[in-house]
Amino acid sequence: MVALLALVLTGCAPTPASIKFEGDATVTVHSLDAVAVKKATVLDAEGKAIEPQPTDLSWSVNPATVATLDKTMVKPVGAGEATVEAKLGDVKASYKFIVALADKVEIAGYTAGTPVPATTTVALTANVMAGADKVEGMTATWESANTAVATVDAAGLVTAVADGVSTITVKAGELTSTVDVTVGPAAAVAADAAAAPAAK
């Protein structure tokens, strides 16, 4: 009787037919920080979530040159595209895991050589890029090489102090970029003189 009951219960258990991931089909990261695998839901043949959900899914990540698996965490290794796969028996599903590491930081808000009158301000912006994609969330720090000419605060706001040129440097992680900020009308006069044709 017990064996028969067990057989009936086993026969009534829904059979896993597919695995569905939560969110977008592709995960893109811009750093080497580990991220959790996407939430996976096992579905039956009718597309309904099986209850209770199986707890014995196995995970894998390939290739290992892009990312590796640490329990339920995906650890980026290098730039490229990997496949994260969840498997339960013969049922499996996968999603793309793209590692697009930041490779440069660009300074916007000022064109080098443009004179800035003393006591005025210029708002600079640091854009961290991974190829053509903008990377959000990275902290940028600013520094002026000559604070007697121009200062810069933590937000990238440059204040012109006195005539001259100061190199403004921004750092985001291991990435750096610079721009020479020119202060004073004298620089504009010098530039015009250099561009003018020589007198005959």
Side-chain angles (χ1 to χ4, degrees):
M1 182 68 179
V2 174
L4 178 61
L5 179 60
L7 181 61
V8 172
L9 292 175
T10 302
C12 292
T15 301
S18 62
I19 298 173
K20 180 181 179 181
F21 295 113
E22 185 178 78
D24 295 336
T26 300
V27 171
T28 302
V29 298
H30 300 294
S31 73
L32 297 181
D33 296 330
V35 298
V37 296
K38 292 171 67 68
K39 180 180 179 181
T41 301
V42 180
L43 309 176
D44 61 19
E46 296 180 354
K48 297 179 180 179
I50 294 175
E51 296 296 344
Q53 279 285 293
T55 59
D56 54 345
L57 272 73
S58 60
W59 293 85
S60 63
V61 181
N62 287 293
T65 53
V66 174
T68 59
L69 187 69
D70 182 9
K71 297 180 180 178
T72 58
M73 302 294 289
V74 181
K75 174 65 177 174
V77 175
E81 181 179 309
T83 299
V84 180
E85 182 180 86
K87 187 176 181 181
L88 179 65
D90 294 330
V91 179
K92 58 185 178 181
S94 63
Y95 63 89
K96 291 182 180 180
F97 187 86
I98 299 174
V99 181
L101 300 178
D103 53 16
K104 61 182 176 180
V105 55
E106 301 174 341
I107 298 176
Y110 175 76
T111 301
T114 304
V116 179
T119 74
T120 61
T121 59
V122 176
L124 301 182
T125 302
N127 295 321
V128 182
M129 308 296 292
D133 297 326
K134 187 175 180 180
V135 178
E136 303 291 349
M138 288 189 68
T139 301
T141 58
W142 297 88
E143 181 180 352
S144 173
N146 190 346
T147 55
V149 172
T151 61
V152 62
D153 67 11
L157 184 66
V158 175
T159 300
V161 178
D163 291 4
V165 177
S166 180
T167 299
I168 305 298
T169 301
V170 65
K171 296 181 180 180
E174 300 297 321
L175 305 173
T176 64
S177 185
T178 62
V179 63
D180 289 336
V181 173
T182 303
V183 178
V189 174
D192 290 342
K200 296 182 178 179

